[in-house]
Amino acid sequence: MMTGIRNHAVWRLKATLVLLWAASTLATQGASGWQADDRFNPPPCDFNDNFYTANGISVAQLNQSVAGRFGTFRLTGPPAGPNQVNWVNDRTCTSNDPTRRNVRILATTGGYVDDGTGSPTDFISILAFLTNQNVFTGVANPRNIQMVDVVSNFEAYAALKQRLPDGTFALTPCGTMGTGATPCFPVTSVATPQLRQDWRFATNRSAIDGSDNNNPLGNPPSNSPFGYFCDDLLGMWIITYFWYTVDPANPGPTCGPILQALGKKNGLSLDGTPIIKTADELNNQLEANGCGAEGKEDPGGADGGAIWLVCPAIPDPRNGGIAGDAFLDQVRKPNGAPLDLAITANFLCLKFGGAFCSELTSFQAAAAQAGETRASTSRLSAKGSR
C-alpha cells in the first residue's frame, strides 16, 4: 500500500513539473500556438494549388478522394484520436510561406531516419495519400524532370500487420505484391492502427552539399540520384512495404537466430516480430537470408491502397518546427502505451523544449517523459470510462 502511495506521489510530482514547464513554454507562444520564433521555423502547412500544379500534381485528382488531401478531407479520424483534429485553418501559413495555403497540419508522424543509425528523430506531416498514377500530370520542373521520377528515389517503409484477427500469421501481402497464397494480410491502408511498427524514412538522401554528384548543366547532364530536401519539393515518398516471410513462432534454423538477435537489439513489433530500423537489417539480414521481402503497390491503383504520400519531413523540428498544439502519430500497444518510447520522448522534448532530448538538460528530458506518462494515463482513463 505504501509503495502504491509513494508511486502515485512521484507521478503527481512529475506531472506538476511538466505542467510548470509547459506553462512557461506556452507563455512564449503566439495565439496560434506557435513558438516565439515561428517565422524562422514555422510548423508545417499544406501546399497551395499552384505549387502542386507547378510540380506536376493534378489538384483535381488530389481533391477527389476522401482519403486524399488533408485540409480538404480527413479533419477527424486516423491519425487523430478522440477529441483531436488532423489540421486547423491558420491564416499565418501563407504569410510565412507563399507556396502554402492556410491549412496547418497537427498530425505529426514519427519514425526512424534511414541513415544506418535507426535514430528515432524523423517527423513528417501528412498532407495527402496518392492511390493512382493519374495524379501525375506529366508536367516537368525547370530541370525537365517529372515529379514521378523524383519521388521514386525516396522511400517510406511501411510495416503492415501480418498477424490477422484470428491469430494467424500471414506470410504474404494481398494484392499484386502477393503470391496468391492464403491467408494474406491486407494492403489497403497505411493508417497507424494497421502498422506493426513505426515508419522508416529515407530523409538521409539529401545531399545539399553536392555529394550526390548532381550536375544538371553537365555534358551529359546528371540529375540522379536526387537529394530529398533539395529536389523533392513536395516532400513526397513512394511507399515500400516490407514483411516477414517466416512465422516468428516457427522461423526455422536459418531465420530463427536472426530474428532472435534483431528482437534483442530493437525490441518486438505488435506482431511479435523484430522491429526493423535500418536498411542493413532489412536487406542484408532478413531478405538476403530468405526471412523477409519488400514490394510496392500497383501504380495503376489495383491494390486500392496508398502508393505515394505527400508527407514532407520537417527539415528541422526544433525551435518551433513542432507546434504547441501538434500531436504525435505513432504505433501504440493495445493498452495505449507507445511501442517506441524514444520517438515519444523526442516529440515531447521538441514540442515543449524546442530541441531533441539529447540536447536538453536531464531535468527537461525527464519532464517530457512525465508528460507522456500523464497523457497515457489520461488516455487509459478515457478508454476505461467508455
Side-chain angles (χ1 to χ4, degrees), residues 188-202:
T188 52
S189 173
V190 290
T192 301
Q194 306 303 319
L195 302 180
R196 66 179 185 268
Q197 70 160 76
D198 293 290
W199 292 81
R200 176 163 60 97
F201 303 112

Side-chain angles (χ1 to χ4, degrees), residues 159-164 169 196 244 248 268-273:
L160 291 170
K161 291 178 181 176
Q162 296 180 243
R163 185 78 63 189
L164 302 180
F169 191 84
R196 66 179 185 268
Y244 284 88
L268 299 179
S269 74
L270 298 184
D271 278 349
T273 52

